[in-house]
Amino acid sequence: MAAEIESLLDYVANIGGSELIVTEGAPSAVRLAGKVCSIPDAPVVDFGALRKFLGSIEGDSGSFIGGPWANAKWRVRYFREALGNSAVFRPMMAECPNFMDLGAPQSLANLLGVSSGLVVFAGPACSGKTMTATAYVSALCESRIMRASFLDPAKEFPVRSGESLVFANSNGTVAEKMDQAIRCGCDLVWMGDFDGENLLPMLHAAEAGALVVCTVTAGNSIGALDALLAGIAPEHRALARTMLAATLKAVVVQRLLAGASENSGAIPAWEILYNTQNVASFIRSGDSFKLPSVIAASASEGMLLMDDCLAELVRSGCVAREEAEKYAANVSRLG
């Protein structure tokens, strides 16, 4: 069965899929342009085949970098289900693309001038948010000499550090490593995927003058802010909102949509929220549901509402209206 799994990985690599999803006792699937699709004629994976293919699997869940398979390294997330093991294979790029070559709105270049605070990249699974965030961190390190701490445990994309100095000899929990980095004068802390228990240490680091960058799984700016605050105890929620309102610099949300033409592949759609006085006020008061109207009215300040980005993709013929409607909060804005 090992040969069959490797052939599935080769299939995913050849069609440009973002993930291979393998579940013992069931046919495998591929995530393509953000959608989970069945693989034609995919065999049912035998029970025990994943453990045999991956080798030692510790515990009921975990992740590691495996391969090379199909001429690439893969990030593997595995977990145990009721009937057997499952694993999600994601191909790793040999190098991270340039930040300004990602097809993002030009206003996103404003982020390259940020020197402190919190910058959040958000999106659903396989939306490209980690690649964009890593490209941003690389661009910062290459644009000026910084003292940086890379705490991203997944290391899905290699960071180009340029001539910046990377602080690597830290120990302990993530919070303790952040504290060591700040005491050593780090300017930049790259967190990778957000972990709820790290919000307050991240905000403290941002208050101390560091630029903290993380990714969050969320479909819009409101969802990203809610995800950041979700793990905070109710009695500390007001303090966390106040700190977040003071340190947040931007939330960048990214989605991938199927292109209108057969060969156009995945098309990125964006939402950009910059922290202004109005935005900070709504975050402090817990009225984040009012933020879409602020974003829609603040295009001159570099903000972009996802619905408006979708509308432009429809008008330009890049994305079919039916596809855009699946992700629009207000379909009437599509025109």
Side-chain angles (χ1 to χ4, degrees):
M1 197 69 206
E4 285 82 353
I5 293 178
E6 187 148 7
S7 68
L8 290 171
L9 292 170
D10 188 62
Y11 171 80
V12 171
N14 287 335
I15 67 171
S18 56
E19 285 185 340
L20 171 68
I21 304 167
V22 178
T23 301
E24 292 176 345
S28 300
V30 60
R31 190 184 297 271
L32 187 62
K35 297 180 180 179
V36 176
C37 309
S38 60
I39 298 177
D41 301 321
V44 172
V45 177
D46 296 337
F47 292 101
L50 269 174
R51 182 176 293 277
K52 184 175 181 180
F53 180 75
L54 297 175
S56 176
I57 297 179
E58 298 181 359
D60 290 338
S61 64
S63 64
F64 64 93
I65 305 301
W69 304 308
N71 299 315
K73 290 283 190 178
W74 297 74
R75 177 184 175 185
V76 183
R77 291 184 290 112
Y78 64 88
F79 45 94
R80 189 185 303 277
E81 294 188 334
L83 299 179
N85 295 308
S86 293
V88 178
F89 298 79
R90 182 180 299 182
M92 298 177 63
M93 298 179 66
E95 62 180 31
C96 193
N98 292 324
F99 183 57
M100 297 312 298
D101 292 341
L102 296 174
Q106 187 61 36
S107 65
L108 212 58
N110 296 338
L111 287 178
L112 295 176
V114 174
S115 59
S116 65
L118 175 65
V119 175
V120 178
F121 290 86
C126 295
S127 60
K129 61 183 181 295
T130 302
M131 180 177 67
T132 301
T134 309
Y136 172 60
V137 171
S138 295
L140 290 171
C141 291
E142 291 182 315
S143 65
R144 53 188 185 269
I145 298 178
M146 307 184 75
R147 290 163 294 184
S149 176
F150 299 155
L151 302 181
D152 172 27
K155 297 180 175 61
E156 187 171 339
F157 299 94
V159 178
R160 298 187 303 274
S161 57
E163 296 184 9
S164 292
L165 308 176
V166 179
F167 178 68
N169 297 321
S170 58
N171 298 292
T173 66
V174 172
E176 290 169 340
K177 290 179 180 180
M178 292 181 67
D179 183 62
Q180 293 173 45
I182 297 305
R183 285 191 281 109
C184 291
C186 281
D187 309 298
L188 171 66
V189 181
W190 165 222
M191 301 295 299
D193 289 341
F194 171 70
D195 187 328
E197 67 181 17
N198 294 325
L199 176 62
L200 292 180
M202 288 164 54
L203 296 178
H204 284 304
E207 283 186 331
L211 175 57
V212 181
V213 183
C214 73
T215 62
V216 173
T217 300
N220 53 40
S221 298
I222 298 174
L225 296 175
D226 288 344
L228 290 174
L229 295 165
I232 301 296
E235 62 269 24
H236 300 141
R237 192 71 57 85
L239 173 61
R241 285 200 303 263
T242 299
M243 295 175 67
L244 182 59
T247 58
L248 181 70
K249 295 299 182 181
V251 176
V252 180
V253 183
Q254 183 174 345
R255 282 187 176 275
L256 292 178
L257 285 72
S261 62
E262 184 176 347
N263 298 320
S264 57
I267 305 295
W270 306 84
E271 179 166 289
I272 303 173
L273 168 71
Y274 284 115
N275 194 6
T276 63
Q277 186 174 354
N278 284 341
V279 170
S281 176
F282 290 143
I283 293 175
R284 277 193 300 270
S285 64
D287 295 327
S288 58
F289 66 91
K290 298 179 180 178
L291 291 178
S293 61
V294 177
I295 299 173
S298 303
S300 62
E301 299 180 60
M303 298 197 212
L304 176 64
L305 190 66
M306 178 64 70
D307 285 359
D308 292 340
C309 183
L310 293 173
E312 179 56 34
L313 291 174
V314 172
R315 282 194 294 269
S316 64
C318 295
V319 172
R321 181 184 175 89
E322 294 75 15
E323 176 72 3
E325 287 178 350
K326 298 175 185 177
Y327 307 101
N330 183 357
V331 175
S332 65
R333 295 189 71 91
L334 297 181

